[in-house]
Amino acid sequence: QVQLVESGGGLVQAGGSLRLSCAASGRTLRSYVMGWFRQAPGKEREVVAAILWSGDSTYYADSVKGRFTISRDNVKNTVYLQMNSLKPEDTAVYYCAAGTPLNVREVSGFDYWGQGTQVTVSS
């Protein structure tokens, strides 16, 4: 089992920044992909960014490329999502997830999920 706990959400004005953290515990994550997803009201959950726990490969959704950065600290067992130049359309509940997906865009490929943290960007 893997436990994931997100933190760092909040209310920010457009153009501002937030850093989300995802603290992981439980079994080793060495073979896992760590992903950040978001879900806005009335919309499907979508991947924002993903990173290999062991490796440098990253993935970003087109909507956040150049603005968001995913990173990890293997010593602290924590994954981060640095969000800059935030826009009102980034408003959503953000979830951390771990799994071994064939395609990081597939929600079903992730086995473990955090409880989510709300990010609200005001215009």
Side-chain angles (χ1 to χ4, degrees), residues 64-76:
V64 306
K65 280 181 181 176
R67 299 189 298 123
F68 291 11
T69 302
I70 189 170
S71 62
R72 70 180 189 281
D73 184 327
N74 289 15
V75 174
K76 295 182 178 180

Side-chain angles (χ1 to χ4, degrees), residues 5-12 17-23 35-39 48-49 64 67-73 77-84 86 90-97 115-121:
V5 179
E6 302 101 332
S7 61
L11 173 64
V12 64
S17 299
L18 283 174
R19 188 177 80 157
L20 305 183
S21 299
C22 172
W36 282 101
F37 288 74
R38 67 186 181 188
Q39 188 166 18
V48 173
V64 306
R67 299 189 298 123
F68 291 11
T69 302
I70 189 170
S71 62
R72 70 180 189 281
D73 184 327
N77 268 9
T78 301
V79 178
Y80 303 99
L81 185 68
Q82 177 66 44
M83 305 185 294
N84 299 329
L86 283 161
D90 294 318
T91 295
V93 177
Y94 283 70
Y95 298 90
C96 177
Q115 81 286 353
T117 185
Q118 177 71 46
V119 171
T120 303
V121 184

Side-chain angles (χ1 to χ4, degrees), residues 29-30 32 34 51-55 72-74 77-79:
L29 297 168
R30 196 171 303 145
Y32 280 79
M34 303 299 297
I51 188 169
L52 291 176
W53 191 261
S54 301
R72 70 180 189 281
D73 184 327
N74 289 15
N77 268 9
T78 301
V79 178

Side-chain angles (χ1 to χ4, degrees), residues 1 17 28 35 38-39 54 58 103 108-109 111-113 119-120:
Q1 288 289 333
S17 299
T28 179
R38 67 186 181 188
Q39 188 166 18
S54 301
T58 57
N103 185 329
S108 61
D111 303 308
Y112 303 101
W113 293 84
V119 171
T120 303

